[in-house]
Amino acid sequence: METEEGKQQERNESLSPNMRVVTSPALQEDILAISPEFDGTLTQEMYDQICTQKNDKVLSNSDLYKLAADLLTYQYNLYGVEGEHPYHDIEHSSGVTALAKNVVGILKRRANPINDADAQIFILAAVAHDLGHCGRTLRQFDPETGEKLTIDDGRSNEQQAVFLADPILKKEGFSIRQRLHFQSLILATTFDERQPNAIPDEEKFPPQTHEERLMSIIDLGDGALMEDEVEFLDRTMKVLFAEKPQAKWPRNMTHWLQTMNGFWKFVEMRMKGADGEIIPEAEALFGEVFRTRKKMFAMLTSEDPSTKAEAERQFEELLSAAHAKFQPYFEKLKTAEPDAS
């Protein structure tokens, strides 16, 4: 009879596509020591060999919290609380971490519960998922023009987070399998992987596993699925204006609403599993606010002019209520030229 421990170990023995191209040089070296044929791209056979080691690390709760605090301190020291980061700062990382703890609690109560080794990696990935973030949506693109930059390291924001954090996990004694799992979770938070020509195909990392999808959802949930409408709009405006190239700023209120609706479709896509239904853990955390906001965005795209006008009026009221919180962004919309289209 298969033991519960065996079931838990089996859950992560399939190689996620987000593990195949190994980001961290330290991790590359450790894999090479086990598999001399490793050339930077991991195969299922190599991963099987890694999983047979069964040397996962589990920290005490106090050591886990200390490591999480150290990672947040590292992020703060890189850029400060605000700095270049209107949105992707330690406030956001802390919010995602809090949601990760809630997700782990849910995963531990299911029929095939997450084990402690994977639970700790899930939490640490939430803490570190924006470590070293450049303060704009796409690290390799000019913030003014949106043109592709030539950056020596060639890494995305998410790859940079893995690059900086993995040596720390290695020092703490986490296994190669855990560090690969850590990479896959962070890469799954890549936002622009479905936008044509945003980043090269080989750098696109859509979530593949259940836990990767959950990590992607809570990353979005700290902004797009916050219950407070003003906070939701404040976070969204920071991303749309302060972190995107000026060439891609919304031109006016109508364009902003269209942009918001497109973003919402992305959120909705992430919330749902392969069966088209909301993932149970996402339902538990965000179900009610998700349906409320979905209804609001459905009104914006309604073919009924009065329904659409009412939705736009509601958004105008929310924006006015939040005016003091993000006045610079609001004024840009109110003074923009009318949309010629």
Side-chain angles (χ1 to χ4, degrees), residues 190-258:
T190 303
F191 176 69
D192 284 272
E193 88 282 345
R194 288 182 181 268
Q195 296 185 16
N197 302 319
I199 51 180
D201 287 342
E202 63 270 19
E203 295 180 10
K204 298 181 181 181
F205 306 101
Q208 301 287 334
T209 69
H210 188 68
E211 287 173 23
E212 287 175 15
R213 192 172 292 275
L214 288 173
M215 182 61 66
S216 172
I217 290 170
I218 61 174
D219 182 30
L220 292 168
D222 182 63
L225 293 165
M226 300 182 79
E227 291 187 19
D228 185 271
E229 295 284 5
V230 172
E231 189 68 19
F232 156 64
L233 289 170
D234 174 47
R235 297 292 193 91
T236 306
M237 295 292 267
K238 286 177 177 178
V239 174
L240 288 180
F241 284 103
E243 293 199 357
K244 275 190 171 293
Q246 290 185 17
K248 294 186 177 181
W249 280 2
R251 297 184 299 276
N252 49 47
M253 188 66 71
T254 300
H255 187 204
W256 179 75
L257 291 173
Q258 292 171 347

Side-chain angles (χ1 to χ4, degrees), residues 274-292:
D275 58 1
E277 299 296 325
I278 297 178
I279 296 172
E281 294 87 352
E283 171 65 37
L285 289 173
F286 305 118
E288 186 174 347
V289 66
F290 173 78
R291 281 184 287 276
T292 299

Side-chain angles (χ1 to χ4, degrees), residues 112-140:
N112 182 20
I114 189 172
N115 60 31
D116 290 339
D118 288 347
Q120 291 192 354
I121 288 297
F122 192 87
I123 291 171
L124 291 172
V127 175
H129 78 282
D130 281 331
L131 182 63
H133 197 285
C134 72
R136 57 181 183 270
T137 306
L138 294 174
R139 187 166 180 264
Q140 309 270 337

Side-chain angles (χ1 to χ4, degrees), residues 11-273:
R11 279 193 323 102
N12 284 316
E13 288 188 352
S14 292
L15 176 66
S16 164
N18 285 338
M19 297 179 187
R20 288 200 176 105
V21 180
V22 180
T23 297
S24 164
L27 188 50
Q28 291 175 357
E29 290 178 5
D30 291 342
I31 295 172
L32 188 60
I34 298 173
S35 301
E37 67 276 20
F38 174 67
D39 61 358
T41 301
L42 201 65
T43 66
Q44 181 65 56
E45 292 73 22
M46 295 175 192
Y47 187 61
D48 290 342
Q49 186 179 8
I50 289 168
C51 290
T52 61
Q53 295 188 322
K54 299 185 183 298
N55 58 345
D56 288 350
K57 176 83 172 185
V58 177
L59 299 177
S60 67
N61 284 337
S62 60
D63 285 343
L64 176 65
Y65 296 145
K66 181 180 183 304
L67 178 55
D70 288 346
L71 286 167
L72 286 175
T73 301
Y74 186 13
Q75 181 175 357
Y76 174 86
N77 288 338
L78 284 172
Y79 296 110
V81 178
E82 293 294 339
E84 297 180 78
H85 298 74
Y87 177 83
H88 291 97
D89 53 16
I90 61 172
E91 179 185 359
H92 169 66
S93 296
S94 299
V96 175
T97 302
L99 291 171
K101 292 178 181 178
N102 291 336
V103 168
V104 164
I106 296 171
L107 293 176
K108 284 190 172 183
R109 294 192 296 271
R110 68 184 183 182
N112 182 20
I114 189 172
N115 60 31
D116 290 339
D118 288 347
Q120 291 192 354
I121 288 297
F122 192 87
I123 291 171
L124 291 172
V127 175
H129 78 282
D130 281 331
L131 182 63
H133 197 285
C134 72
R136 57 181 183 270
T137 306
L138 294 174
R139 187 166 180 264
Q140 309 270 337
F141 290 75
D142 186 275
E144 300 295 326
T145 66
E147 296 297 317
K148 183 76 184 283
L149 294 174
T150 301
I151 297 179
D152 290 340
D153 60 45
R155 293 186 289 270
S156 67
N157 282 315
E158 294 73 23
Q159 289 172 315
Q160 178 72 353
V162 176
F163 178 83
L164 294 173
D166 176 70
I168 298 172
L169 267 64
K170 177 179 180 178
K171 185 177 179 180
E172 291 291 334
F174 287 100
S175 69
I176 295 175
R177 187 197 71 83
Q178 286 176 294
R179 289 155 62 197
L180 285 167
H181 186 35
F182 177 83
Q183 170 182 301
S184 75
L185 291 169
I186 290 182
L187 295 187
T189 66
T190 303
F191 176 69
D192 284 272
E193 88 282 345
R194 288 182 181 268
Q195 296 185 16
N197 302 319
I199 51 180
D201 287 342
E202 63 270 19
E203 295 180 10
K204 298 181 181 181
F205 306 101
Q208 301 287 334
T209 69
H210 188 68
E211 287 173 23
E212 287 175 15
R213 192 172 292 275
L214 288 173
M215 182 61 66
S216 172
I217 290 170
I218 61 174
D219 182 30
L220 292 168
D222 182 63
L225 293 165
M226 300 182 79
E227 291 187 19
D228 185 271
E229 295 284 5
V230 172
E231 189 68 19
F232 156 64
L233 289 170
D234 174 47
R235 297 292 193 91
T236 306
M237 295 292 267
K238 286 177 177 178
V239 174
L240 288 180
F241 284 103
E243 293 199 357
K244 275 190 171 293
Q246 290 185 17
K248 294 186 177 181
W249 280 2
R251 297 184 299 276
N252 49 47
M253 188 66 71
T254 300
H255 187 204
W256 179 75
L257 291 173
Q258 292 171 347
T259 302
M260 287 287 289
N261 190 57
F263 172 65
W264 182 253
K265 290 184 182 301
F266 177 83
V267 173
E268 186 172 1
M269 175 188 71
R270 285 294 177 86
M271 285 281 286
K272 295 180 178 179

